[in-house]
Amino acid sequence: MSAGEPDRTGESAGVPERARRSRPARVEPAPPKRVMSIHAHPDDQEFTVGGTLAKWARAGSEIVTVCLTSGGAGSNDHTPPDVTRQSLVPIREEEQRRACRVLGVSEVLFLGYEDGMLEPSLALRRDLTRIIRRHQPEAVVCGDPTMRFYGNMYMNHPDHRVASDVALDAVFPSAETRLIFPELLAEGLRPHKVRWVFIHGSGQPDTFIDIADVLDLKIAALKEHKTQMGPWDPSDMITGWAREQGAKRKLQAAEAFRLMRLHED
Ligand SMILES: [Zn+2]
């Protein structure tokens, strides 16, 4: 806003009709029937939304996990120095499959992009649009591309920002617009409207999923990423995060989201 402009306090003032805000749900949203969880690396999902996915899977949701990379750069202090990107990839893919089995995720897709080098390309957006149209999820789960800094000790990984940015762009407008990527129509993939986007790691969470009953599954799934955990036990950290995220709603353990409700009845 510039100096001479009137102060607009209404939610929709000065912005298109679509910027209206629907009231955040006070009650926890029902588990979506079909879910797509999109992340940059193996283990991102388990750190951030594993509890929510485990809860939804128990309730009967069909969940597809999409890993844009296979984590070929993900070594840590405990990784032997002779481990190469090529040798790490199949190990990390297997760790991700095992973690997904713990959570109850039905399918895992690896798109094979290079770890550490993700770019917000049209090729990546087309790939995600294709997968969204093919699987027709009601809900997409991804990160928040606008988050650059968390506290003063962690700068969000560029791959995380790109993965969430492109996931959102694929949801809207690409997946639902017939004439974007017409080559997908030729593949028989019709437009699909994703109804909800659950954005984790947001600075503006408005939706809280109670994960107290599945916290053990979240931790167990994360522990499947053995190359990343080394001898470290993530239980205390994950329990602490869940407590912090639940505090706003007096929940013992939660995962917090910004929920975009794009199409509702
Ligand atoms: Zn990551």
Side-chain angles (χ1 to χ4, degrees), residues 158-181:
D159 285 355
H160 298 169
R161 303 201 313 273
V162 170
S164 40
D165 213 11
V166 180
L168 295 180
D169 291 346
V171 166
F172 178 84
S174 304
E176 64 178 61
T177 306
R178 198 172 62 87
L179 293 179
I180 296 180
F181 301 132

Side-chain angles (χ1 to χ4, degrees), residues 112-258:
Y113 283 81
E114 200 74 40
D115 185 359
M117 298 181 190
L118 273 188
E119 290 178 307
S121 66
L122 285 174
L124 176 54
R125 195 193 301 180
R126 184 188 296 108
D127 282 348
L128 281 178
T129 303
R130 178 183 288 112
I131 291 171
I132 290 170
R133 288 193 185 181
R134 189 174 288 152
H135 290 267
Q136 306 190 337
E138 278 186 311
V140 163
V141 178
C142 65
D144 184 338
T146 67
M147 292 300 287
R148 188 73 172 84
F149 305 104
Y150 288 102
N152 61 3
M153 290 178 69
Y154 179 64
M155 296 198 293
N156 200 5
H157 193 297
D159 285 355
H160 298 169
R161 303 201 313 273
V162 170
S164 40
D165 213 11
V166 180
L168 295 180
D169 291 346
V171 166
F172 178 84
S174 304
E176 64 178 61
T177 306
R178 198 172 62 87
L179 293 179
I180 296 180
F181 301 132
E183 61 273 34
L184 297 183
L185 283 181
E187 293 177 23
L189 296 169
R190 297 157 61 84
H192 172 71
K193 289 183 177 180
V194 174
R195 292 159 69 98
W196 305 293
V197 187
F198 287 77
I199 299 166
H200 70 76
S202 167
Q204 301 159 277
D206 56 19
T207 300
F208 299 81
I209 308 292
D210 184 341
I211 62 162
D213 289 345
V214 288
L215 188 60
D216 56 336
L217 286 179
K218 175 171 184 168
I219 292 167
L222 185 55
K223 285 180 176 172
E224 291 293 348
H225 295 281
K226 293 189 194 321
T227 58
Q228 307 309 295
M229 298 298 121
W232 176 61
D233 182 348
S235 306
D236 287 349
M237 191 188 81
I238 294 298
T239 306
W241 283 2
R243 195 184 308 118
E244 275 171 37
Q245 291 184 68
K248 253 191 175 172
R249 293 287 165 88
K250 297 192 168 55
L251 295 169
Q252 187 194 327
E255 285 169 349
F257 298 89
R258 176 175 184 169

Side-chain angles (χ1 to χ4, degrees), residues 88-100:
L88 200 51
V89 162
I91 298 170
R92 295 209 63 192
E93 288 185 353
E94 185 52 26
E95 289 175 346
Q96 183 64 75
R97 285 191 199 95
R98 286 171 181 272
C100 282

